[in-house]
Amino acid sequence: MKIKTVKDYIKRILLVVIGLALSAYGIGMTIYADLGLAPWDVFNQGVALQLQKHFGVEIMMGTVSQITCIFIIGIVLLLKEPIGVSTILDSILFGGFLNFFMKHNLLPSTEIYAVRFALLGLGFVVWAIGVYMYMKPQLGAGPRDSLMIALAKRNISVGVARNSTEMFALAVGWLCGGKVGIGTVISVFFIGYVLQILFTLVKFDATKVKNESLFETAKKLFSKA
């Protein structure tokens, strides 16, 4: 095993972890803005509410996200789309960080309506910075992004693949009692633009990212020096 290669992967994985922590904090800010959740957060909250209502199981939104990601990874593997180190880390750490921030009241909140919009927008920015840090090491796409890519390879446009999965999550979450509001509408239409603006500022072209699969990572780490 090459020591230099191991050190390089440690640095890249550390960047992924920091990115996931930041993106989770950003999403937490949008949740605490209390203006309505993004589609997948509506799903996570709705499922958590139903589990508590019908089964008496108290489960946090981050945990629902973790469980959902495991199922999504299973679907992605069935569709024969490769996953990477970041795919696994995302499925575990994002929800874990979100739970931690929410449980320990580390997220800002306010009753002032105008400030809540500011928190929502700032949450988008923090999330986008985290996504950039998470994507830069090129160690794999997140579970939901991997599913989008897998569907896109089956004669479904990327836009349709993303919108259909998000609308499905939104519909299920809303039916389960997840909070939908003006923040949901803002998230659907503007969060992607925030990410695009950040990528432009740091000159990062996401379309040219060549994510490394778990197999490729293992091959590089355990190849002979």
Side-chain angles (χ1 to χ4, degrees):
M1 187 181 293
K2 302 175 182 179
I3 300 299
K4 185 177 180 180
T5 302
V6 173
K7 289 183 177 179
D8 174 64
Y9 273 103
I10 290 175
K11 291 179 181 178
R12 292 166 71 185
I13 289 173
L14 182 60
L15 190 61
V16 169
V17 172
I18 294 173
L20 288 171
L22 276 176
S23 61
Y25 194 85
I27 291 299
M29 291 177 69
T30 67
I31 294 171
Y32 273 53
D34 197 27
L35 293 168
L37 307 174
W40 279 106
D41 297 316
V42 174
F43 175 87
N44 294 334
Q45 186 185 65
V47 171
L49 288 171
Q50 290 302 312
L51 287 173
Q52 183 174 4
K53 179 180 179 180
H54 294 288
F55 302 101
V57 178
E58 292 189 12
I59 185 170
M60 298 186 73
M61 289 174 63
T63 306
V64 176
S65 176
Q66 291 171 323
I67 296 171
T68 303
C69 283
I70 291 173
F71 281 103
I72 292 175
I73 288 176
I75 295 171
V76 168
L77 290 174
L78 287 174
L79 293 174
K80 298 181 179 180
E81 183 66 27
I83 62 173
V85 172
S86 291
T87 314
I88 305 299
L89 290 177
D90 186 341
S91 65
I92 299 170
L93 296 182
F94 178 85
F97 281 129
L98 183 60
N99 282 347
F100 178 80
F101 296 140
M102 294 179 72
K103 184 177 180 179
H104 295 282
N105 298 314
L106 297 176
L107 295 158
S109 61
T110 179
E111 295 297 324
I112 304 174
Y113 202 64
V115 178
R116 285 157 62 187
F117 277 99
L119 285 177
L120 181 71
L122 185 57
F124 290 166
V125 174
V126 174
W127 167 81
I129 293 172
V131 170
Y132 166 65
M133 293 180 67
Y134 156 85
M135 291 183 66
K136 190 176 180 182
Q138 301 183 26
L139 290 174
R144 297 178 185 88
D145 291 331
S146 296
L147 177 60
M148 178 184 68
I149 293 169
L151 292 173
K153 289 181 178 179
R154 285 158 175 80
N155 297 320
I156 301 174
S157 71
V158 171
V160 171
R162 177 175 178 175
N163 289 337
S164 60
T165 54
E166 288 198 348
M167 289 304 101
F168 173 79
L170 177 60
V172 172
W174 177 67
L175 290 172
C176 289
K179 184 168 184 178
V180 175
I182 184 62
T184 307
V185 178
I186 294 173
S187 296
V188 169
F189 287 102
F190 291 102
I191 195 169
Y193 287 110
V194 174
L195 188 62
Q196 183 178 336
I197 291 170
L198 176 68
F199 283 176
T200 300
L201 289 173
V202 298
K203 298 179 180 179
F204 180 73
D205 190 347
T207 63
K208 295 182 179 178
V209 171
K210 295 182 179 179
N211 284 308
E212 193 174 286
S213 68
L214 279 173
F215 176 77
E216 290 170 328
T217 300
K219 186 177 180 180
K220 290 181 180 179
L221 281 174
F222 296 102
S223 62
K224 294 182 180 179

